[in-house]
Amino acid sequence: MKFGQQLREALFPDWKFYYVDYSSLKRFLYERGEKGYTADDEAEFVKLLDGELDKINDFQQTKSGEMNRRIEYCEKQVSLITANKATEDAKRDQLNIIEREIDTVIGEVYELAKFTRINFTAFIKIVKKHDKNAPFVLKHVFNQHLNNRPFFKENFDELLLELSRLYNIVRNGGIDTDQGKDPQSGNGQNFVRQTTKYWVHPENVMELKLYILKYLPVLIYRTKGSDKPPNPAITSIYFDNENLDLYEGRIEKSEGAEAIRLRWYGDMDNNDIFIERKTHHEDWTGEKSVKERFSVKEKNVNDYLAGRYTLDSKIERLREEGKKSEQDLNDMDALSKEVLNSVRTKHLVPVVRSFYNRTAFQIPGDAKVRISLDTELTMVREDPFDGKPRAGDNWRRTDIGIDYPFPQLPEKDVCRFPYAILEVKLQTQSGVEPPQWVVDLIDSHLVEAVPKFSKFIHGTSVLLEDRVDVFPFWFSQMDRDIRKPATKSVGISRSSSPRGSFIDIGNLVRQRSGVRTLSASHSQNSDTYDNDIEVVVEDEPGDHSSQNEGTAVVSPYSHNYDERSGGAADEGTSLLGSRGRSQKTNKKTHSWLRNLNPFKHSDERTIGGQETLASNAPFAPCDSNGQNKRIAVPVRVEPKVFFANERTFLSWLNFAIVLGSLALGLLNFGDRTGKIAGAAFTLVAMFVMVYALMLFQWRAERIRRRESGPYDDRVGPTILVIVLISAVVLNFYLKLSAGF
């Protein structure tokens, strides 16, 4: 779709005279270009462009001020309603009127966010078209004009916070029921959560936020004694070694695989650093994947990692204060020693930093439904593997803070993720269905299901691509546009008037016939400001299939995602990265049975002496020598699969034993012909046993590596039948020749 048509479809009818006059500006360039574009034409075009910019900026400022005043008006009305002495039914009717007004404001906030985004894109497009068709370059000059009227930097988060608080008060009958509540009360120290993750296209972020706050308020963490809005930034430093053992364990979902990170909330001057460990457990072990953490003061982090600092004094202080049980204190002490042991024995160093701004939705004190939305996700290299001491002797690099989009970094050190990450966490009893509005949300056009998405895995696989052998499965999803047609009535409907109301959520139409329940997930982020140890027990996720088609492509290998241009790639943006990739020697050893196995499928390939996946399996881009790298597809392997392989092996052995017994009988008690036939059947029985053993080992390794198949072998049974028939025919021929 051309941008001109896209702009016409995005117009809000009542604001149509305040959008960029894109068609007139484009017509001006073409008409003057045909006659010969002059300096006078350039001056006139700049004047037209500045006029459009002033129009957009003034309108946006006016509408933002109007919405703030309408919110203040609603707050005053709610206070008057709760203070009067009317009946409860009368108050409820009056609050319903206020709620409809809030719905209208929500709709206009959504339209204003779209207005800002589409007009900013229009300016970028027309300036690029100018530089392409005119003899003058306007890009750098116009960037300065944009910075003088920064309408595109308008942050609607404060409006969202006010709307969320006001909506929650109206929903609770005019009473602020959340005041004074601990946001994390009700979470507990050990709790079961079902967690699923989704990608959200930047165009759908505002609509998604406004939809969720209809049901859940924005969860706000405030520093004690401060009324200042909290900083939503969350930064984590992930540790690994030069062989990326932790990465491989996490992506392969090996039993007991660890992930170790250091995390802080808000600004760089935050003194509380949380040291966290995630441990993966398979279902067949009877254990759940867990996340554990404890806090250390920033000044003590380097000493802790070097083994010069322990938690003994902190634990003793907590014991004297009685703030933690003895079991919790023992767990904290054990965890700190185990993490330090992993860091030292596995030679772990800082590898990847993740940064994002989080908006959390949850009813304070009620953890049944918690939704978080992470935007501006960025991964940054911290490792010294290429000889550059990015962090030096410190536990994190000091040349950057939380100054997104980190323009001071070289592009090879940063990966700006193109989507927001939605995480839905349900803490419900077994057999209890999630709320209907949550089911409608995850089935809607606003989200793209990506089970098991990991910021650590994605950042490592992109930034350290030359050291990675296995890539995450979601790389294939990044090669298509995740935007989908709005086939469901989830979100915000457009009215012909700005006073139009929010849609009736109760009349949602199901897109799919079945109600899909949320699957559980392995240990994910459960972000709290608890100062001490926390253990989160979570389930493994199921697979939420999601299919869509599109033409736009966002490559996971393209690091230069231009957030300053609204996140939209222009016509000149390369869709696939062109960074060179160095070959990494495969250090993994193969068993001798695997190397001797003659029953490999015809659609498998061996390149340079190393086995690769089947030709129809998903692959990541090739390295410098053209060798494909494997993509880890999430395949659930149950214990019964291993047992089935063993039963098949025993069945083959049973056949071989029967055949061998027959052969021994012929050899010991038969005549000359019988002995020859017995020898032939003995060879066949030995062949069957060797074949069964090799087939068992081959299948066991493929199952252990979670390869998607196929697991059948057409060559072996065919050869076996031919050999067995040959032995029978030989016996019959010899007996016939000797006479009966």
Side-chain angles (χ1 to χ4, degrees):
M1 181 188 299
K2 292 187 176 181
F3 180 74
Q5 181 181 352
Q6 182 182 349
L7 178 60
R8 288 191 294 272
E9 292 183 0
L11 286 176
F12 186 48
D14 288 14
W15 300 350
K16 62 182 179 181
F17 298 111
Y18 299 98
Y19 286 80
V20 173
D21 195 352
Y22 183 79
S23 58
S24 295
L25 292 172
K26 186 170 66 171
R27 191 183 315 113
F28 178 92
L29 288 174
Y30 290 153
E31 291 176 353
R32 299 300 175 91
E34 291 176 356
K35 300 176 182 179
Y37 200 86
T38 65
D40 292 337
D41 295 331
E42 178 69 4
E44 186 176 351
F45 181 78
V46 172
K47 183 178 179 181
L48 290 173
L49 208 57
D50 280 342
E52 294 295 314
L53 188 55
D54 287 333
K55 178 180 69 176
I56 301 298
N57 187 67
D58 293 343
F59 178 77
Q60 189 207 56
Q61 296 301 318
T62 301
K63 293 303 294 184
S64 295
E66 176 190 330
M67 290 177 192
N68 279 304
R69 290 190 294 273
R70 290 169 65 182
I71 292 175
E72 292 174 1
Y73 169 79
C74 290
E75 290 177 342
K76 293 178 181 178
Q77 293 300 312
V78 170
S79 299
L80 292 175
I81 292 172
T82 54
N84 66 33
K85 299 180 179 180
T87 63
E88 291 300 322
D89 291 340
K91 288 184 178 180
R92 184 68 260 176
D93 292 340
Q94 292 172 333
L95 289 174
N96 288 338
I97 297 175
I98 299 298
E99 185 174 351
R100 287 195 293 271
E101 176 64 19
I102 299 173
D103 290 341
T104 304
V105 176
I106 287 176
E108 290 198 27
V109 171
Y110 167 65
E111 292 296 344
L112 188 59
K114 287 183 62 178
F115 174 88
T116 301
R117 185 174 59 249
I118 196 69
N119 280 289
F120 176 74
T121 306
F123 281 121
I124 298 300
K125 293 280 186 180
I126 198 63
V127 169
K128 181 179 179 181
K129 196 174 291 292
H130 166 276
D131 291 353
K132 181 179 179 181
N133 295 278
F136 303 95
V137 177
L138 187 58
K139 179 179 179 180
H140 301 295
V141 176
F142 186 71
N143 283 342
Q144 185 61 40
H145 290 211
L146 272 176
N147 290 330
N148 292 334
R149 307 171 187 85
F151 73 92
F152 59 95
K153 295 182 180 179
E154 178 71 24
N155 192 333
F156 297 96
D157 287 345
E158 291 186 9
L159 276 176
L160 285 176
L161 291 176
E162 290 299 323
L163 285 170
S164 171
R165 188 182 66 85
L166 186 57
Y167 214 113
N168 196 42
I169 292 174
V170 172
R171 188 166 43 227
N172 291 296
I175 303 173
D176 190 358
T177 57
D178 299 337
Q179 189 172 7
K181 277 190 178 180
D182 179 8
Q184 287 302 320
S185 62
N187 276 357
Q189 187 174 14
N190 298 322
F191 51 92
V192 178
R193 268 185 177 162
Q194 296 177 332
T195 306
T196 46
K197 288 189 175 183
Y198 306 87
W199 290 345
V200 182
H201 194 277
E203 293 182 2
N204 296 331
V205 167
M206 181 57 64
E207 184 176 6
L208 180 68
K209 287 182 177 180
L210 294 171
Y211 172 76
I212 296 174
L213 68 80
K214 282 279 293 183
Y215 302 94
L216 293 176
V218 177
L219 190 63
I220 302 175
Y221 299 97
R222 295 190 186 275
T223 306
K224 291 182 179 180
S226 174
D227 293 331
K228 182 181 178 181
N231 191 323
I234 298 178
T235 312
S236 301
I237 307 293
Y238 291 91
F239 280 59
D240 209 336
N241 55 31
E242 196 166 356
N243 296 324
L244 300 183
D245 292 334
L246 268 60
Y247 169 87
E248 290 190 3
R250 297 297 293 186
I251 197 170
E252 296 287 358
K253 297 297 178 186
S254 303
E255 168 58 26
E258 289 183 331
I260 294 176
R261 71 186 180 197
L262 275 65
R263 166 174 288 189
W264 71 94
Y265 301 87
D267 298 321
M268 295 292 293
D269 57 0
N270 192 330
N271 199 32
D272 292 322
I273 308 299
F274 292 91
I275 300 177
E276 302 182 351
R277 181 184 68 180
K278 290 184 176 182
T279 307
H280 172 75
H281 293 297
E282 294 282 6
D283 283 349
W284 57 268
T285 64
E287 300 183 38
K288 300 296 183 182
S289 297
V290 296
K291 185 182 81 173
E292 308 159 284
R293 72 178 187 175
F294 59 93
S295 65
V296 175
K297 296 300 181 182
E298 195 278 331
K299 63 181 180 180
N300 297 324
V301 172
N302 285 325
D303 289 339
Y304 167 77
L305 295 175
R308 298 188 297 267
Y309 173 81
T310 64
L311 298 184
D312 293 344
S313 59
K314 178 178 180 178
I315 292 175
E316 187 61 32
R317 186 181 72 254
L318 291 174
R319 181 179 288 113
E320 293 175 357
E321 295 174 353
K323 293 183 177 180
K324 291 290 180 181
S325 66
E326 192 64 29
Q327 182 62 44
D328 289 342
L329 295 176
N330 292 336
D331 290 342
M332 182 190 302
D333 185 46
L335 177 61
S336 66
K337 293 177 180 178
E338 291 170 5
V339 171
L340 179 60
N341 181 66
S342 294
V343 170
R344 304 182 73 175
T345 58
K346 298 178 181 179
H347 308 289
L348 304 182
V349 295
V351 172
V352 173
R353 171 186 302 210
S354 70
F355 166 86
Y356 49 89
N357 287 309
R358 168 163 291 182
T359 304
F361 300 88
Q362 179 185 335
I363 298 175
D366 185 358
K368 292 180 181 178
V369 180
R370 174 187 167 91
I371 297 179
S372 62
L373 183 64
D374 300 335
T375 56
E376 300 175 344
L377 172 60
T378 307
M379 280 73 74
V380 178
R381 287 188 68 169
E382 296 269 347
D383 66 280
F385 300 152
D386 57 356
K388 296 181 180 180
R390 293 176 173 84
D393 295 331
N394 197 31
W395 63 276
R396 63 182 177 187
R397 61 192 300 171
T398 57
D399 57 336
I400 60 173
I402 58 171
D403 46 337
Y404 177 85
F406 308 101
Q408 71 272 35
L409 293 178
E411 289 303 320
K412 66 178 182 179
D413 278 11
V414 61
C415 170
R416 302 176 184 92
F417 196 69
Y419 306 126
I421 308 298
L422 179 74
E423 192 170 353
V424 179
K425 299 178 182 179
L426 297 179
Q427 185 178 339
T428 56
Q429 296 179 352
S430 177
V432 178
E433 295 289 335
Q436 184 61 38
W437 69 269
V438 176
V439 177
D440 290 331
L441 172 62
I442 65 176
D443 284 340
S444 73
H445 66 284
L446 298 176
V447 298
E448 169 80 0
V450 190
K452 302 181 183 180
F453 176 79
S454 166
K455 302 177 181 74
F456 166 57
I457 289 177
H458 186 86
T460 304
S461 60
V462 173
L463 296 173
L464 301 175
E465 181 185 339
D466 57 328
R467 293 178 173 270
V468 171
D469 291 324
V470 183
F471 288 92
F473 73 93
W474 56 79
F475 270 24
S476 60
Q477 288 178 262
M478 298 195 71
D479 289 335
R480 64 173 184 264
D481 189 355
I482 67 170
R483 289 172 293 186
K484 301 174 239 182
T487 54
K488 289 188 61 179
S489 300
V490 173
I492 299 174
S493 65
R494 170 170 289 183
S495 171
S496 59
S497 169
R499 296 293 179 183
S501 62
F502 197 86
I503 67 167
D504 182 7
I505 304 299
N507 293 328
L508 295 177
V509 179
R510 297 285 301 163
Q511 178 185 7
R512 303 176 185 176
S513 57
V515 176
R516 184 176 67 185
T517 59
L518 288 176
S519 302
S521 173
H522 71 279
S523 59
Q524 303 289 358
N525 301 337
S526 169
D527 303 311
T528 68
Y529 282 176
D530 187 85
N531 289 327
D532 302 296
I533 189 171
E534 176 190 44
V535 182
V536 183
V537 184
E538 297 173 350
D539 287 338
E540 280 291 313
D543 185 13
H544 287 228
S545 60
S546 177
Q547 298 179 353
N548 57 64
E549 298 179 357
T551 56
V553 177
V554 181
S555 171
Y557 312 103
S558 178
H559 297 185
N560 189 15
Y561 181 74
D562 192 1
E563 290 287 344
R564 289 164 290 182
S565 63
D570 55 30
E571 291 99 334
T573 302
S574 174
L575 297 182
L576 291 176
S578 58
R579 293 192 302 120
R581 302 177 177 92
S582 61
Q583 181 184 21
K584 180 174 183 283
T585 304
N586 188 352
K587 299 181 181 178
K588 295 182 179 178
T589 59
H590 302 283
S591 66
W592 63 273
L593 282 172
R594 185 179 180 85
N595 292 330
L596 292 176
N597 182 15
F599 305 117
K600 294 179 182 179
H601 290 281
S602 59
D603 60 349
E604 290 184 346
R605 304 189 301 274
T606 303
I607 302 176
Q610 298 177 2
E611 184 183 358
T612 66
L613 289 181
S615 59
N616 60 351
F619 283 95
C622 302
D623 61 14
S624 58
N625 290 337
Q627 179 174 343
N628 285 316
K629 294 187 177 183
R630 185 161 58 95
I631 289 182
V633 179
V635 179
R636 183 69 170 252
V637 180
E638 299 289 348
K640 63 183 180 182
V641 177
F642 293 95
F643 300 147
N645 187 32
E646 291 180 4
R647 287 195 299 270
T648 305
F649 172 65
L650 294 176
S651 297
W652 279 108
L653 285 185
N654 182 58
F655 171 73
I657 291 172
V658 172
L659 188 61
S661 301
L662 173 63
L664 289 176
L666 291 174
L667 286 172
N668 292 324
F669 305 106
D671 54 10
R672 178 177 177 277
T673 301
K675 291 180 179 180
I676 295 176
F681 283 122
T682 300
L683 293 176
V684 174
M686 293 173 62
F687 170 76
V688 170
M689 286 188 286
V690 173
Y691 167 77
L693 178 60
M694 296 176 67
L695 187 64
F696 169 76
Q697 294 285 357
W698 174 70
R699 284 175 173 164
E701 186 159 348
R702 287 176 69 95
I703 294 171
R704 190 173 295 108
R705 292 173 57 190
R706 289 179 170 82
E707 296 184 12
S708 56
Y711 290 90
D712 62 307
D713 175 35
R714 299 182 180 181
V715 179
T718 302
I719 295 176
L720 178 61
V721 170
I722 293 174
V723 171
L724 192 59
I725 291 177
S726 300
V728 173
V729 171
L730 175 64
N731 183 34
F732 181 77
Y733 171 76
L734 292 175
K735 196 66 178 177
L736 186 65
S737 299
F740 288 99

